[in-house]
Amino acid sequence: MSSLMVQSNPHGHGIQLTPVESTLRQLLLDVADHIDRLPAPETSDSEVALPEGLSTPKVELRFTGGWVRDKLLGVDSHDIDVAINKMTGYQFGLKMKSYLELSGNLEKYGIAKQITHGLEDPDGGQSTAKRALLGGLHKIEANPEKSKHLETVTTKILGLDIDLVNLRKETYSEESRNPQMEFGTPEEDALRRDATVNAMFYNLHTSSIEDFTGQGFNDMERKIIRTPLEPHQTFTDDPLRVLRLIRFASRLGFKIDPKAETSMNDVDVKSALRAKISRERVGTEVEKMLKGPDPHRALNLIDRLNLYNTIFTDPASPEPIQASTDTWKQAYDCVGAIFTNNASKPMEAPLPQDIIKSSIARDSEDIHMAWLLAALTPWADVPAPVVPSSSNKISQPLAACIAREGLKINNKAYEIIINAFRHAEEVTALKNALVEQKRTFSSSIRSADTTLTRDTLGMAIRRWGAQWRFHALLALLLESTALQGTKTEQHHIFDGFASFFAYVNDLNLSEAYLLKPPLDGKRLARALDVKPGVWMKDTLDAVMAWQLRNPHQSISNGRIEETESLKIAIIEHILNNVVRPAFETSRNPDVTDEGRKAMQPKRRKHRSSDMEELKPWKSDQPYVLTLLTWVLRNLNETLIEQYWPLVVPPVLTIVDDEASNTKAKGIELLNLLLQITPPSLLARTGLGEVMQDAVMPCLLYLPSLTPEHESLRLLGVAYPALISLVRVRYPTNSQQMISLIRAKPDPDEIRKGKTKLLDQILRKGILNGYRQANEYVKIVELLVQQLGMLVDEMGISSVKHLKDILPMLSDILAAPFGTTYTPLLIAAARTLQTIILTDWPRIANHRGEILRGLTICWCKLEEEDSPLDELETVKFVIKDAARILKAAVADEVDIDADFQALMTADKRLEHLLQFR
């Protein structure tokens, strides 16, 4: 034995074994005795050769390292390293397994009582329970390339985690610095360990503590972490010992020997730590530090020893990026202050740190994540590598890359880090807004303002997800690193974030990410009458934001339209986030962004070939027009004032489109808009003329230059839209006229303007259209129908047009083949009725023209052989028109005499002109 060995040490150190440890000790001693009595094997089960000098001595066993240290500190330990003098751990483990398989041995150590009937193991049939209690022999081969030089075995015995390993020494050749593992003496084994306090052994045979370094006991008492040999060589042999010393110092509260600290900061040692040690092992050590009793001390040692960029690095990077640690201490000081502060007393108001801690730390894993975020804060300001534009990859925060590649963290932690660094700035902005709100407003106003901010905060938490608390913590840490680090500043930061967490809790938003929207996508699509698509997610978010603003309100009868506040919320979202962006690149030059007439419009003389690319609402986003339609159908005269600038420019842009179908849709939308537009609003914005100029040309879209079906679509929406425009520009409603007179003081001008516009529509539209397209019966039918609406709108002023419109109608009714398309005859007869009822004071002078059409049409109907329902309908409306004519002119002329003359001339007219 070495002269340094201490068995009965002068300081009176001793170890008291627990009952389980005593049983384990006896089992191992019995196995050793069993091995000693066996004949020496001819071949070795190990790849490691046994020196000749160790073949004769008996097997000696020792508990080593951390277990001895913890026992001396009075701390229970379930991990025991067992060192064997003349066998590898694998060899000893096989012998122990054979020994326990001998009859009666399981019972001897009480193991048989603890083994219950288990499931059959598919590999060998051994009871699963037995394998769990005795453990499997997990061999770890020697791997000098990664400074893992021990052929060890891990197993489990009596509930204790056991590592079996031979005593060893390490030798080096001139050609390589990679050590060769050899069997060694207890002293050689102790001197090759990472720290003197971990180099003491407990001899199972003598029940004594052995301190072969001669410094272990003293260093335990003086609370010093020291390497048994020269530090530089120790760290070069196994660079992971740098991290282990930091971990032990932080765990035990010991100081690291100054010589060791100097070597730990050596460039060669850092390079070896970076190059030789697998990042999984580095990550494991860092994790143990951060989960230990004093993570703050561990990070402080890394900081002070200038090891940050050696530990927190990406080893795969050819030129490692360096992070500045100038203000890092402020970050881990903050975490230390949060998780190690003295909690406030029950009767006192909670400290800001207590509020933050209770909001973040639900278990030990949360605390570990908090320290990990603190460890990564120096990377926050380091730009991430640029991702090529051709790549589909999204650039990740550099801190997340360092954690993944440098520490090999799990996927869950990786995602938390990514999102925390992405969202920290947004968290800070919301926190600052809350602090400013508290500073500016009184408590009563703040309470009233809660509803206004609840949706913003709730939607942010929904975006952040279940780990939002860590995002807030990182925001706190990054804010702390941006300041000078004084106690006052730290308290100011704590106050702000404590208020933020408390505010979230007061609004019951801490689990906002779990809330389900009151509408699902299918119901929303049905309500808006649009196909599901990319628009849906953001719109559902708008619905969710509404619910957050109105937590106690539900959707009335499941219908959006019946829930006014929700309807407005969806309208605002669609207009601001769907419609406006879609029309950003294609605006009508006659309209300003405010929805007013442009004073100096710049008309496009020529449309470029790529113009369609500037209209996503027409090509890529067809749902925009459907959503805009829903908006217009759900606005009213009050709301349109507010949303006018968001609605008018897109509608007039659609009307201005070249494609007839698109133009028709735009005019349809314009008609919806006009139906809810107050006359005063249209007058103030000066858009009446713009709208008129946009729609009037559509009346000329006639066959044959325009395909009939396109012409029908356009004319079918243009005339109603123009009539709606007349009603808004020149209202007859007394209240509307009063409001309009405030903008235009002369009511006569209003009436004249109305008459003039209606005259233009009739002449340029109806009469001109009939002249150009009278061969197209469906076009003529549409014109006749719209003529009736125009006459009704014009009133008695339409008298001046009787000389033109009555011959047109009579010609239609008297057409030779009119009965082949009865809808046109019905339309003409009904429009004739409208004219008679509207212009009755002047209709007597035109009765001959009217009777011409009615009588000829009737005679042709009488000539038809088949009594079709359509023909009977025509007869009914023709006869009704004759009856109305008689009533209209009876006081002015002898209409009966006219009727009698006609009936005398043609007996078939008796059924037309005789009334019961």
Side-chain angles (χ1 to χ4, degrees):
M1 291 288 181
S2 166
S3 60
L4 293 175
M5 185 186 74
V6 179
Q7 292 186 347
S8 299
N9 65 83
H11 303 283
H13 295 289
I15 288 179
Q16 184 69 37
L17 300 183
T18 66
V20 173
E21 291 168 341
S22 296
T23 301
L24 174 65
R25 170 181 173 272
Q26 189 59 54
L27 167 61
L28 294 175
L29 290 174
D30 291 345
V31 172
D33 182 63
H34 171 73
I35 294 171
D36 289 336
R37 289 186 280 106
L38 292 174
E42 295 182 1
T43 59
S44 173
D45 296 320
S46 174
E47 299 175 2
V48 183
L50 179 68
E52 293 183 3
L54 291 179
S55 60
T56 304
K58 294 183 177 182
V59 174
E60 292 182 0
L61 303 176
R62 292 171 173 82
F63 290 165
T64 68
W67 181 87
V68 179
R69 179 200 66 224
D70 289 345
K71 277 291 185 179
L72 291 174
L73 291 172
V75 178
D76 289 334
S77 176
H78 297 283
D79 297 324
I80 302 179
D81 293 346
V82 180
I84 308 128
N85 66 325
K86 58 181 292 184
M87 306 178 74
T88 68
Y90 185 62
Q91 291 172 323
F92 185 86
L94 291 175
K95 298 297 183 184
M96 181 174 62
K97 181 176 180 294
S98 299
Y99 174 77
L100 288 173
E101 290 174 348
L102 296 176
S103 177
N105 281 350
L106 291 177
E107 291 78 6
K108 179 178 179 181
Y109 304 101
I111 296 175
K113 295 180 181 179
Q114 302 179 48
I115 299 178
T116 60
H117 62 283
L119 300 175
E120 287 300 314
D121 186 85
D123 295 331
Q126 185 181 20
S127 164
T128 300
K130 180 186 291 186
R131 288 177 64 86
L133 188 63
L134 295 179
L137 299 179
H138 303 288
K139 182 179 180 182
I140 302 176
E141 301 286 357
N143 183 8
E145 289 297 324
K146 290 295 183 181
S147 296
K148 185 70 177 177
H149 314 303
L150 311 179
E151 182 185 65
T152 66
V153 161
T154 62
T155 187
K156 198 176 188 71
I157 303 176
L158 296 170
L160 300 173
D161 294 315
I162 308 299
D163 281 2
L164 302 173
V165 61
N166 58 282
L167 294 171
R168 85 283 185 197
K169 67 177 179 179
E170 293 169 350
T171 59
Y172 297 84
S173 65
E174 294 182 359
E175 292 80 15
S176 174
R177 292 303 302 160
N178 291 326
Q180 301 295 318
M181 193 280 287
E182 299 178 3
F183 281 90
T185 65
E187 180 180 349
E188 289 171 333
D189 188 277
L191 292 175
R192 298 303 302 158
R193 291 184 175 264
D194 48 22
T196 57
V197 296
N198 296 335
M200 292 181 287
F201 300 155
Y202 174 78
N203 190 310
L204 272 64
H205 305 271
T206 63
S207 297
S208 62
I209 302 174
E210 301 170 336
D211 182 4
F212 289 98
T213 69
Q215 302 179 87
F217 286 122
N218 289 333
D219 288 344
M220 286 282 290
E221 290 187 346
R222 296 171 59 193
K223 297 185 176 182
I224 291 177
I225 299 294
R226 183 197 317 275
T227 58
L229 296 177
E230 193 275 324
H232 187 275
Q233 186 61 52
T234 299
F235 297 140
T236 303
D237 290 347
D238 186 355
L240 190 67
R241 289 167 177 164
V242 171
L243 301 186
R244 289 173 60 82
L245 259 61
I246 293 173
R247 175 162 64 87
F248 291 132
S250 65
R251 175 183 171 184
L252 303 174
F254 288 11
K255 294 181 179 180
I256 298 177
D257 175 58
K259 292 182 179 180
E261 286 192 353
T262 300
S263 294
M264 292 165 77
N265 197 22
D266 183 81
V267 174
D268 293 336
V269 172
K270 290 180 181 180
S271 298
L273 176 57
R274 174 182 164 82
K276 293 183 65 176
I277 305 301
S278 72
R279 300 316 292 186
E280 288 83 0
R281 295 180 70 199
V282 172
T284 298
E285 286 298 324
V286 172
E287 181 179 3
K288 289 179 179 179
M289 291 180 201
L290 301 184
K291 288 184 175 180
D294 195 353
H296 182 276
R297 182 178 176 84
L299 295 181
N300 182 257
L301 284 169
I302 292 173
D303 190 10
R304 185 167 58 81
L305 296 174
N306 197 27
L307 291 168
Y308 184 84
N309 284 295
T310 302
I311 298 170
F312 298 95
T313 184
D314 179 2
S317 176
E319 296 183 5
I321 304 172
Q322 299 289 306
S324 171
T325 56
D326 292 345
T327 60
W328 181 37
K329 185 176 186 300
Q330 291 155 216
Y332 59 77
D333 278 353
C334 278
V335 177
I338 292 170
F339 292 104
T340 61
N341 70 86
N342 296 321
S344 51
K345 297 179 180 179
M347 298 303 292
E348 296 177 347
L351 296 172
Q353 297 94 309
D354 293 331
I355 296 173
I356 297 171
K357 179 179 179 180
S358 63
S359 299
I360 295 172
R362 291 164 291 185
D363 53 37
S364 60
E365 289 298 321
D366 289 346
I367 297 176
H368 167 243
M369 178 53 65
W371 284 108
L372 181 57
L373 288 173
L376 295 170
T377 54
W379 292 104
D381 295 328
V382 181
V386 178
V387 177
S389 56
S390 58
S391 173
N392 293 326
K393 294 182 179 179
I394 300 175
S395 178
Q396 306 290 14
L398 193 54
C401 299
I402 295 299
R404 181 181 60 184
E405 301 301 331
L407 303 178
K408 298 299 181 182
I409 60 171
N410 59 47
N411 290 337
K412 179 181 178 182
Y414 177 60
E415 290 298 324
I416 291 175
I417 293 168
I418 286 177
N419 291 320
F421 277 86
R422 283 179 176 167
H423 297 145
E425 186 174 347
E426 184 182 5
V427 175
T428 300
L430 287 176
K431 185 272 300 182
N432 290 342
L434 176 63
V435 170
E436 181 63 20
Q437 178 177 298
K438 289 182 64 178
R439 187 186 67 81
T440 306
F441 297 106
S442 65
S443 298
S444 60
I445 296 179
R446 268 205 318 278
S447 298
D449 195 50
T450 296
T451 303
L452 300 176
T453 60
R454 189 175 191 270
D455 61 320
T456 301
L457 187 54
M459 292 306 294
I461 290 175
R462 288 177 65 80
R463 286 194 303 276
W464 302 337
Q467 307 299 338
W468 68 269
R469 297 170 180 83
F470 294 119
H471 308 174
L473 175 63
L474 180 64
L476 182 156
L477 300 180
L478 295 180
E479 187 170 333
S480 73
T481 61
L483 302 176
Q484 297 300 317
T486 65
K487 289 293 184 181
T488 301
E489 287 177 332
Q490 189 183 76
H491 288 314
H492 176 74
I493 295 172
F494 285 158
D495 286 341
F497 279 92
S499 297
F500 180 77
F501 282 113
Y503 193 58
V504 172
N505 291 329
D506 290 345
L507 296 181
N508 195 27
L509 290 175
S510 59
E511 294 185 344
Y513 53 87
L514 295 177
L515 297 176
K516 293 183 178 180
L519 283 176
D520 59 26
K522 291 183 178 179
R523 288 179 62 195
L524 179 64
R526 285 197 302 268
L528 303 187
D529 194 25
V530 61
K531 293 181 179 180
V534 295
W535 62 272
M536 188 180 296
K537 178 183 179 300
D538 290 341
T539 308
L540 284 173
D541 283 345
V543 174
M544 189 68 245
W546 167 84
Q547 186 69 85
L548 288 167
R549 288 193 300 273
N550 305 275
H552 304 299
Q553 190 172 351
S554 59
I555 301 177
S556 301
N557 300 320
R559 292 176 56 84
I560 293 174
E561 293 82 356
E562 296 182 12
T563 309
E564 187 68 14
S565 59
L566 174 58
K567 181 178 72 175
I568 294 173
I570 295 177
I571 287 173
E572 286 187 352
H573 166 75
I574 291 174
L575 291 177
N576 282 297
N577 302 301
V578 180
V579 175
R580 181 162 61 180
F583 287 86
E584 197 69 32
T585 56
S586 57
R587 299 181 180 182
N588 188 310
D590 294 326
V591 188
T592 66
D593 291 342
E594 293 75 25
R596 294 178 173 272
K597 179 181 178 181
M599 292 297 100
Q600 294 180 337
K602 296 181 180 179
R603 272 288 175 188
R604 293 185 301 271
K605 294 182 179 180
H606 303 284
R607 298 177 186 269
S608 60
S609 58
D610 61 346
M611 195 63 190
E612 295 302 308
E613 298 179 4
L614 304 178
K615 299 179 179 180
W617 51 270
K618 187 177 177 182
S619 54
D620 300 333
Q621 304 169 14
Y623 54 84
V624 172
L625 300 189
T626 308
L627 292 173
L628 184 55
T629 302
W630 181 87
V631 167
L632 288 168
R633 286 174 177 164
N634 285 275
L635 288 174
N636 54 43
E637 289 193 6
T638 302
L639 292 174
I640 193 60
E641 292 264 4
Q642 179 179 352
Y643 300 113
W644 182 264
L646 295 172
V647 172
V648 171
V651 168
L652 289 178
T653 297
I654 302 169
V655 173
D656 193 45
D657 194 79
E658 282 188 317
S660 60
N661 286 337
T662 305
K663 185 183 290 289
K665 180 61 179 178
I667 296 173
E668 183 181 304
L669 294 174
L670 178 61
N671 193 16
L672 290 174
L673 172 63
L674 288 167
Q675 291 173 24
I676 55 172
T677 300
S680 58
L681 175 59
L682 189 63
R684 291 198 309 271
T685 57
L687 287 178
E689 186 178 354
V690 173
M691 294 177 180
Q692 177 180 329
D693 292 344
V695 180
M696 281 294 292
C698 297
L699 304 185
L700 303 179
Y701 280 60
L702 298 164
S704 62
L705 292 179
T706 302
E708 183 179 9
H709 70 279
E710 293 184 14
S711 179
L712 287 169
R713 172 81 172 109
L714 267 172
L715 297 176
V717 294
Y719 281 105
L722 286 169
I723 292 175
S724 295
L725 178 60
V726 169
R727 291 170 180 169
V728 179
R729 288 189 73 184
Y730 310 107
T732 55
N733 178 282
S734 58
Q735 289 186 345
Q736 291 181 334
M737 183 173 287
I738 290 173
S739 66
L740 186 58
I741 288 174
R742 292 171 183 163
K744 291 187 175 183
D746 189 351
D748 289 336
E749 290 297 321
I750 297 175
R751 286 188 284 270
K752 290 179 180 179
K754 176 180 180 180
T755 301
K756 180 180 179 181
L757 179 52
L758 288 170
D759 288 345
Q760 289 180 7
I761 297 170
L762 195 148
R763 290 196 180 98
K764 295 181 178 180
I766 304 296
L767 297 177
N768 180 68
Y770 179 73
R771 283 193 297 269
Q772 293 190 35
N774 55 40
E775 296 179 2
Y776 299 87
V777 292
K778 291 186 178 181
I779 296 292
V780 175
E781 177 192 4
L782 186 149
L783 293 174
V784 168
Q785 291 171 341
Q786 301 306 318
L787 174 60
M789 297 176 60
L790 274 172
V791 169
D792 185 61
E793 192 69 29
M794 296 174 78
I796 193 64
S797 66
S798 62
V799 167
K800 60 178 171 289
H801 299 291
L802 292 179
K803 65 182 186 304
D804 297 313
I805 59 178
L806 287 177
M808 181 186 78
L809 293 175
S810 292
D811 288 346
I812 293 170
L813 291 169
F817 301 101
T819 55
T820 59
Y821 188 68
T822 56
L824 175 56
L825 299 178
I826 294 171
R830 286 177 175 166
T831 297
L832 194 57
Q833 293 175 16
T834 301
I835 293 172
I836 296 170
L837 291 171
T838 303
D839 295 329
W840 63 268
R842 300 289 187 270
I843 210 70
N845 296 333
H846 301 276
R847 67 187 185 280
E849 187 63 46
I850 296 172
L851 286 172
R852 179 175 73 87
L854 294 177
T855 55
I856 294 175
C857 183
W858 184 270
C859 291
K860 291 185 177 298
L861 292 171
E862 287 291 308
E863 292 173 358
E864 295 290 336
D865 295 333
S866 56
L868 298 176
D869 290 341
E870 293 87 348
L871 297 180
E872 293 301 317
T873 302
V874 177
K875 285 183 176 182
F876 177 81
V877 294
I878 292 290
K879 190 175 182 68
D880 203 28
R883 183 184 298 109
I884 294 172
L885 174 64
K886 179 179 179 179
V889 302
D891 292 340
E892 296 185 43
V893 297
D894 187 1
I895 190 66
D896 288 332
D898 294 341
F899 283 3
Q900 186 59 49
L902 290 169
M903 287 186 288
T904 300
D906 193 329
K907 297 294 185 182
R908 292 175 297 181
L909 297 178
E910 291 179 356
H911 295 296
L912 171 63
L913 302 176
Q914 286 183 347
F915 308 108
R916 296 176 183 176

